[in-house]
Amino acid sequence: MDRRIKALTDFLDASHSVYHAAAYLAETLEKEGYTRLFEGEKWSLAPGGKYYLTRGGTAVMAFRIPRGEIRGFLMSASHSDRPTFKFKENGELSGTYTRLAVEKYGGMLMAPWLDRPLSLAGRVTVETDTGAESRLVDIDRDLLLIPNVAIHMNRGANDGFKWNPAVDLLPLLGGAGAGGKLEKLLEKAAGGKILGHDLYLYVRQKASVWGADREYLSSAALDDLECAWCCTQGFLAAPESESIPVLCVFDSEEVGSASVQGAASRLLEMTLCRICDALALDQRILLANSFMVSADNAHAVHPNHPEYADASNAPVVNGGVVLKFNASQRYTTDGVSAAIFRKVCAGAGVPVQTYCNRADIPGGSTLGNISLSQVSVLTADIGLPQLAMHSCYETAGVKDALYLQDAMTAYYGSALEIRGEQYFLKEFR
Ligand code: ZN
């Protein structure tokens, strides 16, 4: 397997929750020599410095300060969360069996969650002598399963069955005597008295590279951990340019981005503001020469249902990075941002495809236009083509993951200068 694909699948397999994904990215930045900053402390930044910060344990921001001239910010935004089920407070349901009470997080395909081994991961907040501390928790074994009802008892199961998350999606933990066991497992894993928790279901199936030519990649959370990883790799590999490269991985995209660590928060704006303050730069001038790549996976044309795709804008898996367009600004790409992104990709030898919803299918939304409301810069919405979006096990293309890493390396190694209707793009190698 390609070394870069192995690194991607290692990340996917380690990211059993949004907290684990963010922690893995933070650790990756640490290993690359990035200094951790804390929002509650004064920042002293120096030319040549490499920095990162986290918020809420689920959002990650990283940036580097060039040694020479600084024209603007080149940014990317992706998201660390995925549709799943959250474990409720008082979530053990006893009876003939012991089940867990869960509620939906985001809009998912429900059927794929049934009949496969599951477990719980996330964070717990434990009591300490001085206050409290958040700790990652992962019950790393086959622990839960949501059994289907047999076809003999539900003859309509194949005729457009409607799932009720309060009834049909409750995972089985054990028999009548299993009450209280989960709490013990969690306390043991946390190593302290639990005062609060944010725990989510995850599927136990690992990432897989498959197909006639091993051209497909399947995993949980490809939307959007695939983009988060490829943007991070491009960010790390890029040469120094005349722009400040900024990597943003936000939480809460699947539930509208409105959280302290989502794209609707002031996290990015505050970060840029503090960079400018620390370096005595004029943020207004820098923002006018800045660009945002909003990277969130895109729908590939479906092998069995090509009719759902727009006839002339139907990306294929392994056909290249996708530029997304929407007249109502659900996707922010316009003629200028498309041109700039296409030029970056051409320089990197990366093919570009386009996506539009069919005019009679509303489609989804993403974080580009939400981030724009906080930091208003020229933005392109992009993504990697994938199948089965919001299933608990999604499918994308091996080649595309490499294309995005190459595109982001070229992007982060560029500098942009905007003067009226003129756009000057300088590449550094
Ligand atoms: Zn997404």
Side-chain angles (χ1 to χ4, degrees), residues 79 223-224 253-254 296-297 390:
H79 66 90
D223 169 17
D224 190 30
E253 193 277 339
E254 301 295 357
D296 195 1
N297 271 0
H390 292 193

Side-chain angles (χ1 to χ4, degrees), residues 415-419 422-426:
L416 181 69
E417 203 179 326
I418 302 174
R419 197 180 305 127
Q422 301 275 339
Y423 306 88
F424 304 94
L425 188 66
K426 220 164 141 183

Side-chain angles (χ1 to χ4, degrees), residues 62-82:
F63 57 90
R64 289 189 293 270
I65 311 297
R67 288 174 189 85
E69 193 166 359
I70 296 174
R71 297 184 188 281
F73 298 101
L74 290 184
M75 302 172 274
S76 75
S78 53
H79 66 90
S80 52
D81 62 327
R82 76 198 66 182

Side-chain angles (χ1 to χ4, degrees), residues 236-363:
L236 291 172
E240 183 168 315
S241 80
E242 290 170 0
S243 292
I244 297 177
V246 184
L247 175 79
C248 318
V249 183
F250 291 111
D251 187 13
S252 315
E253 193 277 339
E254 301 295 357
V255 291
S257 293
S259 74
V260 177
Q261 52 276 343
S265 76
R266 294 182 66 204
L267 174 59
L268 175 59
E269 187 209 347
M270 298 290 276
T271 302
L272 301 184
C273 182
R274 294 184 68 166
I275 294 172
C276 290
D277 283 356
L279 299 169
L281 295 166
D282 189 328
Q283 190 184 357
R284 295 160 302 180
I285 297 174
L286 262 63
L287 282 179
N289 292 311
S290 293
F291 196 89
M292 169 64 90
V293 170
S294 161
D296 195 1
N297 271 0
H299 300 293
V301 61
H302 193 278
N304 300 338
H305 285 284
E307 71 279 10
Y308 292 136
D310 183 69
S312 50
N313 295 284
V316 295
V317 173
N318 287 318
V321 178
V322 179
L323 260 174
K324 305 185 204 176
F325 295 84
N326 179 252
S328 308
Q329 284 289 296
R330 300 284 288 271
Y331 304 130
T332 55
T333 317
D334 64 11
V336 171
S337 62
I340 290 170
F341 189 74
R342 280 189 171 115
K343 226 173 132 52
V344 168
C345 287
V350 169
V352 175
Q353 316 184 73
T354 54
Y355 177 85
C356 291
N357 294 319
R358 262 180 65 131
D360 55 357
I361 297 179

